[in-house]
Amino acid sequence: MGQVNWMAVVLATFAALAVSALWYGPVFGRARLEEVGPGKLGIRRSPARTTAISAALLFISATMMGHMFARVGEATLDVKWWLYFMMSGGLAIAFVVPSLWISYSQQRISTRLALIDGGFWLVAYLSMGLAFMLA
């Protein structure tokens, strides 16, 4: 097993945070607000607190991803660059999105919100894979 690329872990964390800012801002901010607006899912805490919690949790995900890529090895990833996307996207599609949808279905949260949030996680994890590939 190779060493975890900690610079890539940090870059992947920032990449996912950037996706979050765009996804929940100009891309789907209005649509999400229609679903979770006043009286629906609760009051939003301070943006700084939300960002800090998100960064910490995304760092944990990026660290696990870094470990996963280290297990595959740099030599393999240099030849099979698509594994960055297969593995990061696979994590989102096979674990994160289904977990989210199960929770949402139990809470009777709308399909529209599940699609918005599930799409975010897929794009965020793919952006993390890209950050690892480029680092």
Side-chain angles (χ1 to χ4, degrees), residues 15-33 97 100 104 112-127:
L17 283 170
V19 168
S20 176
L22 290 171
W23 197 268
Y24 293 119
V27 178
F28 289 107
R30 181 176 286 298
R32 189 168 197 283
L33 186 59
V97 173
L100 179 77
Y104 278 17
R112 182 181 185 200
L113 184 57
L115 287 169
I116 291 169
D117 289 347
F120 162 72
W121 285 110
L122 177 58
V123 174
Y125 269 54
L126 288 171
S127 74

Side-chain angles (χ1 to χ4, degrees), residues 31-124:
R32 189 168 197 283
L33 186 59
E34 290 172 5
E35 295 297 316
V36 300
K40 294 193 179 166
L41 288 183
I43 299 170
R44 182 175 178 194
R45 304 263 188 236
S46 80
R49 181 174 184 251
T50 300
T51 301
I53 292 169
S54 297
L57 296 172
L58 286 168
F59 181 78
I60 292 169
S61 295
T63 299
M64 184 60 207
M65 213 177 279
H67 173 73
M68 182 179 66
F69 290 133
R71 294 279 302 154
V72 171
E74 196 172 319
T76 301
L77 291 168
D78 285 344
V79 176
K80 298 178 179 179
W81 57 268
W82 59 87
L83 289 176
Y84 287 107
F85 302 104
M86 285 180 64
M87 293 170 73
S88 62
L91 284 173
I93 291 169
F95 295 101
V96 178
V97 173
S99 299
L100 179 77
W101 275 59
I102 290 167
S103 294
Y104 278 17
S105 67
Q106 295 297 321
Q107 298 171 46
R108 297 182 183 169
I109 294 174
S110 73
T111 300
R112 182 181 185 200
L113 184 57
L115 287 169
I116 291 169
D117 289 347
F120 162 72
W121 285 110
L122 177 58
V123 174

